[in-house]
Amino acid sequence: MKLLKPLSLLLVSVGYIISVGAHSAPASDAWITLGTMAGPMPNAHHSQPANALLVGGKTYLVDAGDGTAGQLTKAGLNIKNIDAVFLSHLHFDHTGGLPAILSLRWQTETQRELTIYGPPGTQQTVDGIFAFMRFGALGHYGVPGQVPAAPQSHVKVVEIKDGSELVFDGFRFSAIRNTHYSWPTDSREYQQFQALSFKFTLPDYTVVYTGDTGPSDAVTKLSQGADLLISEMMDVAHTVNLVKKMSPDMPPMTLQHMQRHLSTHHLTPDQVGQLATRARVKKLVITHMAPGLVTPEEFAKYRAEVAEFYSGAITIANDLDRFELHE
């Protein structure tokens, strides 16, 4: 696995130059972890969940948490060149950066069509962003006689669900429902709210992205034999203690609900290792970490906990890490 961390290397390797009129070599296929820390707490060292998938010179976003626009720039990627966005679910730490992306595209009069793929509710979410943009777009730059385009110009939404399969230029896309929600299967909420995991099948390489999930047989099946598994992970006890410290006045029932959500709808280090082993994946990259890791000792601690259950290559990702999609 070739991992490029220095920004200068990223700018060269990605092959996207922001300057108008610049020429660059075609980008190699890669996965870039733009933001690697779970929400909802902001962090000085990590942006919130977002990834860039580069295939055949095209750029696809996989989740778009707060800070994504800035992270794209740091990775040497042009926000105007995004071809599609894939949203795994509609929690705000995975969608908070989308209003900035749509607004900045509109302000720079981007003509390239952007398609946003996401679970049921994505259309409503994006329509809400357009409503947020409406007044500012109407006034535009305040130049008399200027006729602004509608906020929704060159953007469309395609809602996907458990079992959806799509074909793109250079890869096949599959989505399955995971266990990030635990609504009863006979409830209205079960149909209304879906959290999805994704599989990107290139001609000679396969990437699986868990999104947010708890232990899931469906995710294990989706991940079978994957070349690269991008998995979420959480230290639940540590995260709950941090929440208590930051919000000492949180009502006990609210804290109880949060603890239940974190412990059943996310993966602990041992569960991540077990998933990777059962699925026989070749390489494991861990992201969406909570709490955010800073010191080498913290990275080593969690890596060792996963390695007790998985003997393959393990990387706990930092923001802007790049993983080449080839053997």
Side-chain angles (χ1 to χ4, degrees):
M1 178 182 300
K2 187 177 181 182
L3 177 58
L4 304 178
K5 294 185 180 181
L7 180 57
S8 59
L9 288 177
L10 280 170
L11 289 171
V12 173
S13 299
V14 171
Y16 285 87
I17 306 298
I18 295 177
S19 303
V20 175
H23 297 282
S24 58
S28 59
D29 295 346
W31 182 283
I32 300 175
T33 51
L34 299 172
T36 56
M37 183 177 167
M41 295 177 289
N43 183 273
H45 304 282
H46 304 282
S47 192
Q48 292 198 346
N51 305 270
L53 171 65
L54 311 181
V55 177
K58 294 185 177 181
T59 302
Y60 305 90
L61 276 182
V62 184
D63 282 334
D66 184 34
T68 298
Q71 294 298 93
L72 283 165
T73 301
K74 290 177 184 177
L77 299 172
N78 190 336
I79 193 172
K80 295 167 69 71
N81 289 340
I82 300 170
D83 287 274
V85 178
F86 300 97
L87 299 177
S88 64
H89 64 298
L90 301 178
H91 280 162
F92 303 135
D93 57 331
H94 291 251
T95 62
L98 193 56
I101 291 168
L102 297 183
S103 300
L104 292 170
R105 278 173 45 91
W106 181 88
Q107 281 190 296
T108 55
E109 298 187 356
T110 301
Q111 303 297 309
R112 191 188 196 101
E113 184 173 85
L114 176 68
T115 303
I116 301 170
Y117 299 89
T122 298
Q123 184 68 65
Q124 180 179 338
T125 298
V126 174
D127 285 346
I129 296 173
F130 292 149
F132 148 76
M133 293 173 60
R134 189 169 297 125
F135 188 84
L138 187 64
H140 205 17
Y141 292 119
V143 178
Q146 189 175 38
V147 180
Q152 62 269 32
S153 299
H154 309 296
V155 178
K156 70 176 183 178
V157 173
V158 175
E159 293 196 346
I160 55 177
K161 59 183 179 179
D162 183 32
S164 291
E165 293 194 0
L166 302 167
V167 177
F168 293 83
D169 184 14
F171 66 93
R172 188 171 71 254
F173 168 84
S174 306
I176 58 96
R177 179 198 290 263
N178 59 43
T179 59
H180 190 52
Y181 297 125
S182 54
W183 305 105
T185 56
D186 60 350
S187 67
R188 178 178 60 86
E189 290 86 356
Y190 182 81
Q191 298 300 326
Q192 187 175 10
F193 302 103
Q194 294 190 31
L196 303 172
S197 298
F198 300 147
K199 184 176 183 178
F200 303 90
T201 304
L202 284 65
D204 58 357
Y205 204 89
T206 302
V207 181
V208 171
Y209 174 70
T210 67
D212 285 12
T213 184
S216 166
D217 291 339
V219 174
T220 301
K221 182 178 180 181
L222 185 74
S223 305
Q224 283 298 320
D227 293 290
L228 180 62
L229 173 63
I230 312 290
S231 177
E232 72 125 80
M233 190 167 82
M234 180 171 288
D235 183 333
V236 174
H238 193 174
T239 301
V240 170
N241 287 334
L242 286 176
V243 171
K244 288 180 181 178
K245 184 177 180 180
M246 292 185 65
S247 305
D249 297 327
M250 180 178 288
M253 184 61 70
T254 301
L255 185 62
Q256 181 180 339
H257 287 162
M258 177 176 289
Q259 185 162 4
R260 179 183 177 189
H261 163 66
L262 296 180
S263 60
T264 58
H265 298 164
H266 290 282
L267 297 173
T268 57
D270 59 312
Q271 291 169 336
V272 172
Q274 291 166 12
L275 165 61
T277 295
R278 287 196 302 270
R280 299 181 179 181
V281 302
K282 296 178 182 177
K283 300 173 184 177
L284 171 64
V285 169
I286 294 165
T287 185
H288 192 274
M289 185 60 192
L293 308 184
V294 178
T295 68
E297 292 77 16
E298 289 174 317
F299 280 87
K301 172 185 181 296
Y302 288 106
R303 187 188 182 285
E305 290 181 9
V306 176
E308 289 185 27
F309 299 89
Y310 174 65
S311 59
I314 302 169
T315 301
I316 299 180
N318 266 307
D319 289 18
L320 305 180
D321 280 352
R322 177 186 173 110
F323 303 90
E324 304 293 341
L325 304 186
H326 55 72
E327 295 293 341

